[in-house]
Amino acid sequence: MRQALHRLTIETRGKGLTDISRPIIDWTASQGIETGLLTVWCRHTSASLTVQENADPTVRADILRFFETLVPEAAGRYAHEDEGPDDMPAHLRTMLTETQLSIPVAAGRPVFGTWQALYLFEHRRRPHPREIVLHLLGE
Amino acid sequence: MRQALHRLTIETRGKGLTDISRPIIDWTASQGIETGLLTVWCRHTSASLTVQENADPTVRADILRFFETLVPEAAGRYAHEDEGPDDMPAHLRTMLTETQLSIPVAAGRPVFGTWQALYLFEHRRRPHPREIVLHLLGE
Amino acid sequence: MRQALHRLTIETRGKGLTDISRPIIDWTASQGIETGLLTVWCRHTSASLTVQENADPTVRADILRFFETLVPEAAGRYAHEDEGPDDMPAHLRTMLTETQLSIPVAAGRPVFGTWQALYLFEHRRRPHPREIVLHLLGE
């Protein structure tokens, strides 16, 4: 049994979903581990992870719209406003989605379903560099 | 340290919660691993996982009603409608719950609390066969 | 490769967020494992886990207010009322946040980001002792 750690920096372009499946699958494949467990950790509280459909891009547009409605940016609604009107909603949207995902690896590849992709979900308006830690354990 | 992988197919009956604790506990017990970590991965984007109360069935009814209200099926609300009015809400409900859960194993058994059960949450109206991957690591 | 299991009991004071990063980091450090994976499991369905900002306390106040609005306690709204008006909302708030988190460990420490803390989120009005299971795997 072996393990490996890796840090990935993703430059986001403000609010939106960035598909990070490819770098994650490629790094896993490069480790020479056939069977194991891959963990993905997002080191932020205003960006998060989610597994969603990789096909129709309107799904991503609907997701953004849904979260704007569910957790609105609204002046005077939140006590925490120092870092801008998009900061507290960003924290809440992070809480409702994922900071971590662990996926089994078989035949050297995370076992994503046919329609699954792993996205980094940026919740702030401005672009940010986001640090993702990958941990792989197996043999 | 050893590991084991398993695929479970659960036939859902349309929208609702299916308790999958039993097959998961039984498979874990059959692996002869005393202490370890069990990971459950759902390979879909319109069905998800959740840990909830295993006692009063009205809890499940309340959960279904709550998600119908929080993420309504509503004509014209979503851009992604090709796969039916229940598809985009299914994606959003999946995002708000879990695609993956990892639970420590002690004495050959996942350490669920007394009132915890692990459910597969089907979000589509029609029955679907759903693929769940189990990964167990330990000794 | 080695593993260790630990149970932590946290006495909550009713609804609110308790920072449990310190006991988790300390226990991890005491295990002499440099690189690995730490899993945190909450054995309840009316208390949950979340990773959130560790700095401005108004963030925690905003989180509490947000969940009171998103999942209201409201007489007659839920079928499951036997255990009090705060019980069914507690289950739903648990579903929307986390029961489990797994975090990579590097240099003997979970790789939390600068602003991340791990909170136990009590959803019931009354204080409760809450059981958290920790599992660490690595070398």
Side-chain angles (χ1 to χ4, degrees):
Chain A
M1 203 78 70
R2 291 190 298 117
Q3 54 183 352
L5 270 172
H6 186 58
R7 281 181 200 223
L8 210 61
T9 301
I10 307 292
E11 304 281 346
T12 67
R13 285 166 300 185
K15 286 186 184 187
L17 293 153
T18 304
D19 187 343
I20 59 170
S21 311
R22 181 47 50 200
I24 286 173
I25 291 169
D26 287 351
W27 177 76
T28 304
S30 75
Q31 296 309 304
I33 282 177
E34 275 296 292
T35 304
L37 184 68
L38 173 70
T39 297
V40 185
W41 179 270
C42 177
R43 301 187 76 220
H44 304 276
T45 60
S46 53
S48 57
L49 304 174
T50 193
V51 174
Q52 264 308 315
E53 207 202 79
N54 54 16
D56 184 354
T58 63
V59 169
R60 266 105 75 197
D62 281 335
I63 289 170
L64 291 184
R65 255 192 308 271
F66 174 77
F67 279 90
E68 291 296 332
T69 306
L70 189 69
V71 190
E73 288 187 16
R77 193 184 187 108
Y78 308 106
H80 176 77
E81 286 195 318
D82 295 358
E83 297 166 58
D86 56 332
D87 192 56
M88 194 59 222
H91 292 322
L92 295 168
R93 293 169 193 181
T94 296
M95 281 187 75
L96 295 173
T97 51
E98 311 302 334
T99 291
Q100 167 264 325
L101 286 161
S102 293
I103 179 164
V105 170
R109 214 190 127 88
V111 297
F112 289 117
T114 312
W115 305 105
Q116 286 183 322
L118 201 165
Y119 291 95
L120 175 62
F121 196 173
E122 174 61 71
H123 301 297
R124 299 301 304 268
R125 291 178 186 175
R126 283 186 302 110
H128 281 79
R130 297 301 193 178
E131 250 187 67
I132 308 291
V133 178
L134 306 182
H135 175 266
L136 177 62
L137 184 66
E139 63 187 351
Chain B
M1 202 78 70
R2 292 189 299 115
Q3 52 184 350
L5 271 171
H6 185 59
R7 284 183 197 221
L8 210 60
T9 301
I10 308 291
E11 305 281 345
T12 67
R13 284 165 301 185
K15 288 186 185 188
L17 294 152
T18 306
D19 187 343
I20 58 171
S21 311
R22 181 48 48 201
I24 286 173
I25 290 169
D26 287 350
W27 178 76
T28 303
S30 74
Q31 296 308 304
I33 283 177
E34 275 297 291
T35 304
L37 184 68
L38 173 70
T39 298
V40 184
W41 179 271
C42 176
R43 302 186 75 220
H44 304 276
T45 59
S46 51
S48 57
L49 303 174
T50 194
V51 174
Q52 263 310 315
E53 209 202 77
N54 54 16
D56 184 354
T58 63
V59 170
R60 266 106 73 198
D62 280 335
I63 289 171
L64 292 183
R65 257 192 307 271
F66 174 78
F67 278 91
E68 291 295 332
T69 306
L70 189 70
V71 191
E73 289 188 17
R77 193 183 186 110
Y78 308 106
H80 175 77
E81 288 195 316
D82 295 1
E83 296 166 57
D86 58 333
D87 191 56
M88 193 60 222
H91 292 322
L92 295 168
R93 292 169 194 180
T94 296
M95 281 187 75
L96 294 173
T97 52
E98 312 302 334
T99 291
Q100 167 263 325
L101 285 161
S102 293
I103 179 165
V105 170
R109 214 188 129 87
V111 297
F112 290 116
T114 312
W115 306 105
Q116 288 184 322
L118 202 165
Y119 291 96
L120 175 63
F121 196 174
E122 174 62 69
H123 302 297
R124 300 300 306 269
R125 291 179 186 175
R126 282 186 302 110
H128 281 79
R130 298 301 193 177
E131 248 188 70
I132 308 292
V133 178
L134 306 182
H135 175 266
L136 177 63
L137 184 65
E139 64 188 349
Chain C
M1 203 78 69
R2 291 191 297 117
Q3 53 184 350
L5 271 172
H6 187 57
R7 282 180 199 223
L8 210 61
T9 302
I10 308 291
E11 304 282 346
T12 68
R13 286 167 298 185
K15 287 188 185 187
L17 293 152
T18 304
D19 187 343
I20 58 171
S21 310
R22 180 48 49 200
I24 286 173
I25 291 169
D26 287 350
W27 178 77
T28 304
S30 75
Q31 297 308 304
I33 283 177
E34 275 296 293
T35 304
L37 185 69
L38 173 69
T39 298
V40 185
W41 180 270
C42 177
R43 301 186 75 221
H44 304 276
T45 59
S46 53
S48 58
L49 304 173
T50 192
V51 174
Q52 262 310 313
E53 210 203 75
N54 54 16
D56 184 354
T58 62
V59 169
R60 265 106 72 199
D62 280 335
I63 289 170
L64 291 184
R65 257 192 307 272
F66 174 77
F67 278 91
E68 291 295 333
T69 307
L70 189 70
V71 190
E73 287 188 16
R77 193 183 187 110
Y78 308 107
H80 176 77
E81 288 195 317
D82 295 359
E83 296 166 57
D86 56 332
D87 191 57
M88 193 59 221
H91 292 323
L92 295 168
R93 292 168 194 182
T94 295
M95 281 187 75
L96 294 173
T97 52
E98 312 301 334
T99 291
Q100 167 263 326
L101 285 161
S102 294
I103 180 165
V105 170
R109 215 188 126 87
V111 297
F112 289 118
T114 312
W115 307 105
Q116 288 183 323
L118 202 164
Y119 292 95
L120 175 64
F121 197 172
E122 174 62 69
H123 302 297
R124 300 300 304 269
R125 291 178 186 174
R126 285 186 301 110
H128 281 80
R130 297 302 193 177
E131 248 187 69
I132 308 291
V133 178
L134 305 182
H135 175 265
L136 178 62
L137 184 66
E139 64 186 351

